[in-house]
Amino acid sequence: MKRKLSIISLIFLFTLTAQAQVEPIKTDSLQEIIITSTRINLPFKENSRTIDIITSEDIKNSASTNVADLLQQVAGVDIRRRGTAGSQADLYIRGGSFDQTLLLIDGIKMDDAQTGHHTMNAALPLEVIERIEIIKGPAARVFGQNAFSGAINIVTKKELSNSISVKAETGSFGQLNGGVTIGSSLENSSHIVHVDKMSSAGYRHNTDFDNSNYFVKSVFNKNKKAVEMIATFQERKFGANGFYARASATEQYEETQNSLIGFSTQFNTEKLTIAPRIYWKRNQDKYVYLRNDPTVYRNLHITNKIGAEVNANYKSKAGTTGFGIDMSKIYIRSNNLGDRNRFMTTLFLEHEFKAFNDNLDITPGVAVTYFSDFDFYAFPGIDIGLKITDQLKAYGNIGYTYRIPTYTDLYYNDSSTIGNPDLEVEEAFAQEIGIKFFSPKFTGSLALFNRDAQNLIDYIRPNTTETIYTATNIAEVNTKGFEVDVAYHFKWSGFNQTLAVGYNFLDDDILDQNKDLSRYSLNTLKHQFTTRLSTQLFKNVSQNIIYKHAERTTGDSYNVWDASLALQLKQIEFTITASNIFDADYIEAGFVPMPPSNVLFGLRYNFN
């Protein structure tokens, strides 16, 4: 352990004391990325919202081995993990709940009607991800009702050259990981196949896990009308010591399965683009209170979502019009929630106007959704952007957003938690202003945001002596804050170096209303500071140091350091990833202490 800390400290000090030659990195890849999660496709630089991009290079330099750990490094995104390897984690953006953030895979909505606890079940292996688009703030008019506080779109790789990559990893807590990624590019089709397995004995009693990931992406008929297919399957089996009921519930156990299959294509003319898609998403969740005696208490939920959507945009002298329709049918079978179904249809319409030599862009839009078990709802909004110079842009947006209750909110029932079939829909009106700066060696953004919400759903007890919490629409809640992101790119001894810093401040008044009576709403990140230093000191050696500071509204505060070292020798890559280097004692979710200092050794071989 001492040797590991010495190595990391030496890397850190050597990097900081290096004489940096401020020479910009010749890369415009970030600025030229097209945001594909919207109907009106725009370069990242031109978008008038707060959008963060995690590129494939960022992923490589993240010292992360899974999406949950990766997203922890983004200011404004709060990943509350229970254990390691992303086995169970909840996703929050700007103080919203885990039910209020939408995850997409190549634009396919991965929301789960049972509960937002399953959002991260769909997270893919890092090996198949091209980039991650993080849209902060209300995005309901673009994606629909689950994007209450933001959305995250995981964009998978389009194609890999003919290659095979094999990895093997081992480390603390009996971790054993292995995987293979195959790329095949043929004359009229291309294919990516990935399989991996991760296991661990656990860092404390009943925190072992056995996780598997399967991924296939194929493009057929490349030379004419290409058809893209994506198929994923993730299975997680893990001991859930203290994950849910209470800290004393040490013998809980859970198994989840998440699968997706989708087909899409695109029709293009000079002015019109039409992109149809069909998909089927399935999630299965099995939970037992006592691992060795499932008869005491057991839940089994199976949710199926079948969807079809068509998105389009039309370019004219008046600007670009985006429009679309999204239809889906949801079925759930559950021994606790019952057998239920829901039909949803959403119509989208937006138009981008440009004026003053294209320096001003105005994009009003609206989404109208029908829920078979609720009603019609509309999500209007508008984005405005002003290009001050080629490198500097100011922007602002306002919009309404909604979220209908999950089936857990409505119907769940156990000894301490009761759903409420009379719940109303969550609503909010949000505003944001910001400014962005781009240059080859420096990028930065500042955003101020405000959200006025009503009918937010929380689990409340009437007094401190009551032990049963009931799903309830609580009073109005105001959430406001600001966010800063900067990245500095430079060269030292001919090698690329990056220093990235993010800070998010968030303040809400929910504590004034439910301090002693709420079960879930008291763990918001008030201060969040993240830093990533990615350096290369020698030709084949690169290293990354990650620092995260968090202070929650409950008063909990902690500092976590992670690091990685990679050595590339032709087709072989050796990696060392160290997490929680200085052994911070902290909790992100519920009653689950996060793992102590741990290390993972990896070997990857690329067959070309």
Side-chain angles (χ1 to χ4, degrees), residues 110 121-122 232-234 256-260 281-283:
M110 301 300 290
N121 290 359
T232 71
F233 179 79
Q234 294 92 15
T256 66
Q257 294 178 353
N258 187 280
S259 58
L260 167 71
K281 175 190 175 296
R282 181 183 184 273
N283 192 84

Side-chain angles (χ1 to χ4, degrees), residues 80-138:
R80 303 183 196 175
R81 300 167 297 176
R82 295 173 174 87
T84 58
S87 292
Q88 209 295 315
D90 290 331
L91 172 62
Y92 304 72
I93 292 180
R94 288 184 175 175
S97 74
F98 54 76
D99 286 316
Q100 295 173 344
T101 303
L102 179 65
L103 181 71
L104 304 97
I105 305 294
D106 286 342
I108 299 175
K109 303 174 183 67
M110 301 300 290
D111 53 298
D112 190 275
Q114 179 203 335
T115 172
H117 272 305
H118 296 317
T119 295
M120 293 298 290
N121 290 359
L124 298 177
L126 297 181
E127 287 89 343
V128 303
I129 298 175
E130 178 63 29
R131 68 179 183 274
I132 300 178
E133 303 169 352
I134 303 169
I135 300 93
K136 299 174 184 174

